[in-house]
Amino acid sequence: MNSIPDRKGGGRGFGFRPGYPLTCVTAVMLCALVALGTWQVERLHWKEDLIARAEEGIEGQPVPLPALADEDPNWRDLDFRRVSVSGRFIVGNAFGFQVSTRGELVGGDLVVPMLLDDGRVILVDLGWLAETDLPPASIVPFVPAGQVALDGVARFVGDIRPGYLTPSPDLIKRRWFDWHIPAMSDVTGLSLLPVIVDVDQRSALAVDGKPMGIANRPQPRSLSIDYPNNHLGYALTWYGLAVGLVVIYTMMGFKRGAS
């Protein structure tokens, strides 16, 4: 008569036994990864709303530049808002900004300080000119004299500081390669506001109450929203790591259960 083998204590078991320490560590890491992913989703919604409001601001009607103190944090809210200003250009403090090309021509933007009617000074980016027309060459043909009223898109640049790879300004050629309001104020001797006005293709410009045509004017830029929005990729990365962590935890649990 054949006997039935006693399997008690024999062979290898099969089950899920990850252990208490591994479970605790995995739970903490999983909560952290899910929280980071959820935070990036929230940031995604915030950035999408910010971009939508910026697009509306560019297309909206101009509003007068508010009378805010230089250090007022509300300047940030004007970023990508269409504003109107009135005053006189300070031609002697104009400078070229960055280096770019139009077709085969090399040039940059012409930036001119404007003394506003209330005594404040703001930088106005009038648009692109060929290198030979930028300061230190005479810009008189390109900058209207008299009382100027214009609208453009405000950009908050008060917190920009040039990076290590940004070239230093060439003060002899009067060329700057990034915004740096404190340094620009020191060089020009003007107390500059922390926002600039970009004259774009929709901007209107009048001199002494008369509309000015586009002849002899710098080429206006076509503005685009430059807010970085990588939050979806970051969220997927964190959630993907969370899924990977669960897979590894499950495999290790079954491996230990089979040992």
Side-chain angles (χ1 to χ4, degrees), residues 40-71:
Q40 287 298 333
V41 170
E42 294 172 352
R43 293 280 294 175
L44 172 66
H45 295 324
W46 167 79
K47 186 61 68 67
E48 289 177 340
D49 180 66
L50 186 66
I51 292 174
R53 287 190 289 113
E55 291 174 344
E56 292 176 0
I58 290 178
E59 299 298 327
Q61 294 299 314
V63 297
L65 189 73
L68 301 174
D70 291 1
E71 302 299 325

Side-chain angles (χ1 to χ4, degrees), residues 62-65 82-87 89 112 114 116 122-126 144 147-153 197-200 203-207 217:
V63 297
L65 189 73
R82 190 168 293 277
V83 298
S84 59
V85 294
S86 177
F89 284 117
V112 188
M114 173 182 274
L116 301 177
I122 191 170
L123 294 177
V124 179
D125 187 334
L126 289 174
Q147 183 70 17
V148 178
L150 61 83
D151 69 76
V153 178
V197 176
D198 260 326
V199 174
D200 66 352
S203 296
L205 192 153
V207 182
R217 282 177 55 183

